């Protein structure tokens, strides 16, 4: 909070930009301090709201235009050095790749100003570099705005959203493609690093695009199963509301969530964006379905009860489907479940333990899978 306050003071919360309308109607892009000095004294206007702008050409920030007296609704965020630098980075990178690049393209029909547009062969791709906070709902609304014009948009997370292990805060940037599966983009202009993080079940695979030679690094999820089992006990001790409500459900079946089957912790899909932790969903699934044969309709309804509003760029149900597929794969490959025409039936039941200690002792013994 304190950092955010300082930043606000430093950059003043006015909308600034790199492209402006000159008095004769031409669009002018500010490219350098020298050019900014040469243009000093001329009148410029915002291409979106037509409000008056002035040139800011101090030693600290990249040369830019700033609204004189008010905020402008067309942009997704107030300007900062990082955002200005990121737009230039994406513009230059797009040009190097052979795209026709436009900075700050304004679309009057939807009253949105795109940070950067890459165009090739009539196909336009909007890049939004997001440095300040944006809610999943706002991100979705702006995405739908571009989609209503037939434009693809790629949101690129700014430094405040970077994380080695993407979680709920990063889920708003989560997208899916045939080629890369679940992934997200991030950019750090200060280090000239544009990266795509692919979220596979086993690892975060980062491809860093720096010049012509992408560097691929793979970070596997290495958290021991024992740590995950102990975390369940911790959540019970800390009286986490969702955990306690599931513990009550388990108690009605004579079971203790602290001794939830090991399968609940194994081979997690590790995707952020659902409103409930993956192990909790799996535990609830067991409590609902372990009593007998599993019918397709009831099983499908189970997954619809989990929300993915934190991941607004994914198709409805897509996140749930991926987490579900991983879980059913584990149960069938592990010899617990077998498919039937109506759904599934149990071959053997995953074992619950009376306590977390009993569960930890069983680790390493035969039959644990
Ligand atoms: Zn404006």
């Amino acid at each position: 909070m304190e950092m955010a306050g300082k930043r606000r003071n430093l950059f003043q919360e006015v909308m600034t930009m790199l492209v402006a309308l000159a008095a004769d109607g031409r669009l002018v892009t500010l490219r350098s301090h020298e050019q900014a000095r040469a243009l000093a004294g001329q009148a410029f206007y915002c291409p979106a709201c037509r409000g008056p702008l002035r040139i800011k050409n101090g030693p600290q920030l990249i040369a830019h235009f700033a609204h004189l007296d008010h905020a402008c609704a067309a942009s997704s965020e107030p300007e900062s050095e990082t955002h200005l630098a990121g737009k230039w980075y994406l513009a230059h990178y797009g040009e190097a790749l052979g795209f026709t690049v436009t900075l700050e393209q304004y679309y009057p029909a939807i009253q949105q100003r795109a940070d950067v547009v890459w165009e090739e062969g009539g196909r336009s791709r909007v890049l939004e570099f997001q440095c300040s906070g944006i809610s999943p709902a706002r991100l979705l609304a702006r995405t739908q705005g571009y989609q209503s014009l037939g434009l693809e948009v790629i949101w690129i997370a700014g430094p405040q959203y970077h994380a080695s292990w993407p979680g709920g805060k990063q889920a708003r940037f989560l997208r899916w493609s045939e080629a890369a599966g679940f992934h997200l983009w991030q950019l750090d202009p200060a280090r000239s690093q544009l990266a795509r993080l692919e979220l596979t079940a086993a690892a975060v695979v980062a491809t860093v695009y720096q010049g012509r030679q992408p560097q691929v690094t793979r970070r596997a999820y290495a958290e021991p199963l024992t740590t995950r089992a102990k975390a369940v006990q911790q959540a019970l001790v800390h009286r986490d509301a969702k955990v306690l409500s599931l513990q009550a459900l388990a108690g009605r079946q004579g079971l203790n969530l602290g001794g939830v089957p090991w399968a609940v912790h194994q081979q997690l899909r590790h995707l952020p964006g659902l409103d409930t932790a993956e192990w909790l969903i799996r535990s609830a699934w067991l409590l609902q379905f372990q009593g007998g044969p599993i019918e397709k309709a009831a099983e499908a309804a189970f997954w619809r009860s989990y929300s993915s509003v934190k991941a607004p760029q994914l198709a409805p149900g897509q996140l749930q489907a991926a987490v579900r597929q991983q879980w059913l794969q584990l149960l069938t490959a592990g010899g617990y479940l077998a498919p039937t025409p109506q759904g599934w039936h149990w071959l053997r039941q995953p074992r619950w333990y009376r306590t977390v200690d009993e569960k930890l002792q069983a680790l390493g013994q035969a039959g644990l899978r």
Side-chain angles (χ1 to χ4, degrees), residues 161-241:
Y161 283 107
H162 292 188
S164 302
W165 307 104
K169 188 180 172 187
Q170 286 73 37
R172 68 204 70 190
F173 295 98
L174 191 58
R175 54 207 311 277
W176 184 90
S177 74
E178 197 84 50
F182 290 97
H183 66 280
L184 53 89
W185 288 91
Q186 58 183 37
L187 171 64
D188 182 354
R191 298 165 66 208
S192 299
Q193 280 197 350
L194 176 66
R196 186 184 69 190
L197 305 187
E198 287 172 52
L199 308 189
T200 72
V204 174
V205 183
T207 305
V208 178
Y209 295 87
Q210 218 166 13
R212 287 273 168 188
Q213 284 290 3
Q215 300 280 332
V216 181
T217 55
R218 187 178 183 280
R219 274 173 290 113
Y221 290 96
E223 190 184 40
L225 286 179
T226 51
T227 305
R228 293 179 191 162
K230 287 173 188 166
V232 174
Q233 194 59 31
Q234 285 299 307
L236 284 166
V237 169
H238 289 125
R239 307 187 63 76
D240 175 279

Side-chain angles (χ1 to χ4, degrees), residues 46 48-49 67 72:
C46 172
C49 70
H67 284 75
C72 174

